[in-house]
């Protein structure tokens, strides 16, 4: 990568980091403003207590210890000229100790309050952001999920949000406390000795430059590791979902090898980031120790200088304050690495929150529908440069059964997706009962649509809950009626708890055919005006299919149905058959009419029965 490109990427990364911090602070200010004021006050008092303890050391040495020792003045030959006995102010010492005990106790309470409140704030923000993230995902269009790994999305909701909470509950309080400590300690050092303070400032500037260099090196590693973590989680989720396929094709070793590569990539990124972040704190500690010794030397020289007003107690207090001042630099440097790692996760979260939601331009609410569907010269493509459908036109009148057949990839399923506005067309028009579906609200449009897919998605819950998924207020009798029409009632009754049997993991121990029957029952419960059956009986055995077809006949008696099927024997009674090839309708008509023409449909039918 050229230096200019790296500079641009680095600039964009900094802008995103600042933006992420701003949004986090916005969450805190909007929902926890009063709590954050208390946190800041507690932080100030906590750091003040520590600095006051250092100044207490000066008071003890200069006002109580040295006066108790007395003074002895000798001449050049070592003969005592004047001796003053020491005086120990016991009452004053006790009084000073009591004051410091109260200050330290208050500081301890303030420190506890600081971390206790930040845990509460971080937990609340974690809940809100996770809620916002999940709600956002419900508004995103289908094409967004088509381009995302499900495991990566799960990583954002779980791992990335947890990393952000860790920053708010641990790193951020440490940073705030360290900054307050720097300010209050600096004021205390200036009060004791301006010259010694200048020495400390120079040493700290060197430490800051070193910390900036190291954190810059580790930042790229943490950002890359967050991305690599999402990719690895996506791979894990995909392999767990398809573990049966892996075992059937004996690809366990291949899967392990691919996982090892992803895991090694993640490890490399983390190793790079941690190599620099882990070396920083020891370096800062070593520099702090060297600074401590240098200050002791310079302070001792100044105390011995008769023209200096610096006292032994002041040097002792300054040594304590210098260590207190340097320590937060190391804390900030270490926590900045943790914050960078968390902000890399926050960027991924906010990128998702900033995705454009599914737009519903519809303004008309369709209360009732007859199921009259018309496609007028419809053109559509998933990508700008590729068209999937070209000039599709047909009419499905109320109550008609329209079958769509064709080779894999011809565009059959795309047609069904367009009817429900999972995707919007590029040109042409689709109408329902004379209304352009783009003028209808998506909610009201989909309330009149029922869809049974080849792979039925069931949710954790009871059988009854899954059947009434689209109608939560359905009664038990209505649920049973839908199940009977779908020919699912008999096998449900044989389950241990019947309709109250809890299923998990997209059906659990149920067969694929049984899951399909439940999906059909779920659509029957909705009583839609238009039914889309996309290979709805592909995973059902011949006997069960015959029974399901009986249920479909009841369902389709007064409803429009769009049936996508490979088994041509199931669509002979269709009112209209559309033959799709390469995104275009090449033939349309009834079963008998298409056979009579001797075209593509006739050829496919002869192959299916011959």
């Amino acid at each position: 990568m050229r230096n200019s490109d790296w500079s641009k990427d680095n600039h964009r990364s900094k802008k995103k980091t600042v933006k992420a911090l701003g949004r986090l602070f916005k969450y805190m200010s909007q929902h926890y403003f009063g709590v954050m004021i208390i946190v800041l006050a507690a932080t100030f008092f906590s750091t003040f207590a520590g600095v006051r303890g250092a100044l207490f050391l000066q008071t003890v040495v200069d006002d109580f210890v040295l006066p108790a020792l007395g003074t002895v003045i000798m001449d050049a030959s070592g003969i005592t000229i004047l001796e003053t006995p020491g005086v120990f102010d016991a009452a004053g010492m006790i009084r000073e100790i009591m004051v410091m005990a109260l200050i330290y106790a208050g500081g301890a309470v303030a420190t506890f309050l600081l971390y206790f409140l930040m845990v509460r704030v971080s937990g609340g923000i974690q809940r809100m952001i996770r809620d916002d993230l999940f709600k956002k995902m419900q508004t995103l269009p289908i094409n967004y999920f088509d381009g995302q790994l499900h495991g990566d999305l799960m990583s954002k909701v779980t791992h990335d949000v947890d990393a952000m909470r860790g920053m708010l509950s641990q790193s951020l309080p440490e940073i705030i406390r360290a900054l307050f400590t720097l300010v209050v300690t600096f004021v205390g050092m200036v009060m004791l000795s301006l010259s010694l303070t200048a020495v400390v400032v120079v040493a700290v500037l060197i430490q800051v430059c070193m910390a900036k260099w190291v954190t810059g090196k580790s930042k790229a590693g943490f950002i890359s590791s967050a991305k690599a973590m999402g990719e690895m989680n996506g791979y894990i989720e995909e392999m767990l979902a398809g573990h049966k396929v892996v075992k059937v094709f004996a690809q366990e070793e291949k899967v392990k090898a691919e996982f090892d590569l992803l895991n090694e990539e993640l490890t490399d990124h983390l190793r790079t980031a941690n190599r620099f972040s882990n070396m920083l704190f020891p370096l800062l500690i070593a520099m702090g120790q060297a600074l401590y010794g240098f200050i002791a030397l310079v302070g001792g020289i100044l105390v011995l200088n008769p023209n200096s007003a610096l006292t032994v107690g002041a040097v002792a207090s300054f040594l304590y304050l210098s260590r207190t001042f340097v320590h937060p630099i190391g804390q900030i440097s270490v926590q900045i690495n943790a914050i960078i790692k968390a902000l890399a996760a926050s960027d991924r979260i906010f990128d998702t929150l900033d995705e454009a939601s599914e737009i519903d331009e519809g303004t008309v609410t369709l209360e009732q529908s007859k199921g009259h569907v018309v496609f007028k010269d419809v053109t559509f493509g998933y990508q700008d440069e590729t068209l999937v459908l070209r000039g599709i036109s047909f009419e499905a009148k109320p109550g008609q059964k329209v079958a769509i057949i064709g080779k894999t990839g011809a565009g059959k399923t795309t047609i069904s997706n367009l009817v429900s506005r999972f995707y919007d067309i590029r040109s042409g028009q689709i109408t329902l009962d004379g209304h352009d579906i783009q003028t209808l609200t998506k909610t009201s449009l989909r309330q009149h649509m029922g869809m049974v897919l080849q792979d039925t998605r069931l949710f954790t819950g009871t059988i009854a809950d899954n059947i009434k998924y689209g109608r939560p207020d359905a009664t038990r009798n209505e649920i049973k009626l839908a199940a009977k029409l779908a020919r699912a009632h008999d096998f449900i009754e044989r389950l241990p708890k019947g309709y109250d049997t809890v299923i998990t993991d997209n059906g659990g121990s149920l067969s694929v055919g049984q899951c399909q029957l439940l999906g059909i029952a779920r659509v029957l419960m909705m009583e839609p005006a238009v039914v889309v059956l996309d290979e709805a009986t592909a995973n059902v055995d011949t006997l069960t299919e015959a029974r399901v077809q009986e249920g479909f006949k009841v369902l389709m008696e007064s409803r429009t149905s769009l049936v996508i099927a490979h088994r041509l024997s199931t669509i002979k009674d269709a009112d209209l058959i559309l033959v799709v090839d390469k995104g275009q309708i090449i033939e349309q008509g009834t079963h008998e009419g298409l056979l009579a023409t001797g075209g593509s449909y006739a050829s496919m039918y002869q192959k299916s029965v011959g």
Side-chain angles (χ1 to χ4, degrees), residues 25-44 110-125 127-128 168-169 172-173 176 180:
F25 282 122
K26 185 177 180 180
Y27 270 97
M28 288 189 286
S29 63
Q30 286 181 339
H31 302 281
Y32 294 98
F33 181 78
V35 176
M36 292 307 299
I37 295 297
I38 298 175
V39 166
L40 294 177
T43 305
F44 176 79
T111 302
F112 169 80
L113 192 62
L114 161 66
Y115 287 98
F116 175 80
L117 291 178
M118 283 308 297
V119 168
R120 177 187 171 188
V121 169
S122 63
I125 291 177
R127 174 184 55 80
M128 287 187 290
L168 294 177
S169 63
L172 189 61
I176 294 174
F180 271 95

Side-chain angles (χ1 to χ4, degrees), residues 121-139:
V121 169
S122 63
I125 291 177
Q126 179 192 40
R127 174 184 55 80
M128 287 187 290
I129 289 182
R130 188 167 279 159
D131 283 346
D132 290 347
L133 189 58
F134 190 79
K135 290 176 183 176
K136 180 68 178 183
M137 289 182 179
Q138 307 311 304
T139 69

Side-chain angles (χ1 to χ4, degrees), residues 302-376:
L302 291 175
V303 168
L304 294 176
N305 186 349
N307 296 323
S308 174
L310 195 64
T311 65
V312 175
V315 173
S317 292
F318 196 94
L319 284 170
Y320 183 87
L321 285 178
S322 67
R323 176 166 288 183
T324 304
F325 186 76
V326 171
H327 183 66
I329 303 296
Q331 283 184 314
I332 291 174
S333 302
V334 172
Q335 295 304 330
I336 281 178
N337 281 313
I339 287 177
I340 288 173
K341 184 177 180 180
L343 287 178
S346 300
D347 286 344
R348 285 161 43 83
I349 293 171
F350 290 129
D351 283 346
T352 301
L353 289 175
D354 291 338
E355 285 287 340
S357 297
E358 185 177 18
I359 299 175
D360 187 359
E361 313 92 345
T363 57
V364 179
T365 300
L366 188 64
E367 298 295 341
Q368 292 182 339
S369 174
K370 297 178 181 178
H372 187 189
V373 178
V374 178
F375 274 59
K376 298 178 182 178

Side-chain angles (χ1 to χ4, degrees), residues 482-532:
K484 288 178 180 178
L485 289 174
R487 302 303 188 264
H489 177 74
D490 292 341
F491 89 80
I492 294 174
E493 286 293 318
R494 291 194 298 269
L495 295 175
K497 295 184 179 180
Y499 285 85
D500 294 320
T501 300
V502 176
I503 56 176
T504 58
D505 192 24
N506 195 28
S509 60
L510 298 180
S511 69
V512 175
Q514 289 172 330
C515 292
Q516 194 79 329
L517 292 176
L518 293 180
I520 295 169
R522 186 160 57 192
V523 174
L524 287 166
M525 175 63 66
M526 290 291 295
E527 298 184 350
V530 180
V531 180
V532 178

Side-chain angles (χ1 to χ4, degrees), residues 172-228:
L172 189 61
E174 289 288 343
I175 291 285
I176 294 174
R177 194 165 187 268
L179 291 174
F180 271 95
T181 300
L182 286 175
V183 174
V184 177
T185 304
F186 181 78
V187 172
M189 289 192 302
V190 170
M191 292 171 57
L192 291 173
S193 173
L194 192 58
S195 56
L196 290 179
T197 302
V199 174
V200 174
V201 169
V202 172
V204 167
L205 288 177
I206 295 174
Q207 288 181 321
V208 169
C209 292
M210 180 182 295
K212 183 178 180 181
W213 180 79
V214 173
T215 53
K217 289 290 185 180
S218 62
K219 180 179 179 179
F222 284 128
I223 293 175
S224 299
S225 65
K227 181 180 179 181

